[in-house]
C-alpha cells in the first residue's frame, strides 16, 4: 500500500519504501533454537515474537553469504533455517546494495 505524503512546496511524495532490515544467520538460528537454558529460551522467544509480530513493518533482506553459512555442515535445524531465510529478498551485490551494507555495518 502506498502512502501519499505532502512535503514542502505543496507537491506530493509517494512513500512506499520501508526501512530495510538485514537478516543474518542468528535470526533463523535463534528462531529455531532448541536449547533449554534460560538465555537460549529468551533469545528464541524474543526472536519469534519479533518475527511473528513486527517483521511486516520492515523490508527484510539477506544475502547469499547468509545462505551459504546456514548451508554449511549438517545440523538438526538446518532445513528450517534455510526455508526461513529463503523467504527474504537477497541483496544482489549491486552498487546500491553495497552502499546499504557499508552504511549498515559502519553505523
Amino acid at each position: 500500500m502506498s502512502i501519499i505524503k505532502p512535503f514542502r512546496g505543496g507537491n506530493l511524495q509517494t512513500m512506499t519504501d520501508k526501512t530495510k532490515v538485514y537478516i543474518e544467520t542468528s535470526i533463523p538460528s535463534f528462531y529455531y533454537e532448541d536449547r533449554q537454558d534460560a538465555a537460549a529460551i529468551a533469545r528464541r522467544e524474543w526472536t519469534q515474537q519479533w518475527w511473528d509480530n513486527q517483521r511486516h513493518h520492515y523490508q527484510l533482506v539477506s544475502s547469499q553469504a547468509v545462505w551459504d553459512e546456514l548451508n554449511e555442515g549438517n545440523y538438526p535445524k538446518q532445513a528450517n533455517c534455510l526455508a526461513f531465510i529463503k523467504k527474504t529478498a537477497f541483496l544482489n551485490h549491486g552498487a546500491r546494495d553495497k552502499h546499504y551494507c557499508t552504511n549498515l555495518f559502519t553505523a
Side-chain angles (χ1 to χ4, degrees):
M1 174 168 86
S2 293
I3 299 170
I4 304 298
K5 177 183 173 186
F7 69 99
R8 288 182 299 185
N11 295 324
L12 295 178
Q13 177 182 22
T14 302
M15 304 279 293
T16 57
D17 289 331
K18 294 180 179 179
T19 300
K20 282 185 182 178
V21 173
Y22 184 77
I23 304 299
E24 45 83 39
T25 57
S26 67
I27 304 301
S29 294
F30 288 154
Y31 192 92
Y32 291 106
E33 182 59 67
D34 57 1
R35 291 179 292 169
Q36 295 301 311
D37 61 278
I41 291 169
R43 284 190 297 268
R44 180 183 64 231
E45 288 178 358
W46 293 332
T47 302
Q48 289 175 348
Q49 287 173 8
W50 185 89
W51 187 263
D52 295 343
N53 300 312
Q54 299 299 318
R55 76 174 187 267
H56 65 278
H57 296 292
Y58 303 94
Q59 179 184 354
L60 306 178
V61 296
S62 194
S63 68
Q64 186 64 45
V66 171
W67 175 270
D68 292 345
E69 186 175 340
L70 291 171
N71 202 33
E72 287 179 10
N74 187 12
Y75 52 97
K77 59 186 177 182
Q78 186 174 34
N80 287 334
C81 288
L82 290 169
F84 182 101
I85 206 69
K86 189 175 183 178
K87 296 175 188 174
T88 64
F90 279 27
L91 299 174
N92 66 15
H93 304 296
R96 182 175 177 204
D97 289 337
K98 286 180 185 176
H99 175 74
Y100 168 73
C101 286
T102 299
N103 288 337
L104 175 70
F105 293 112
T106 58

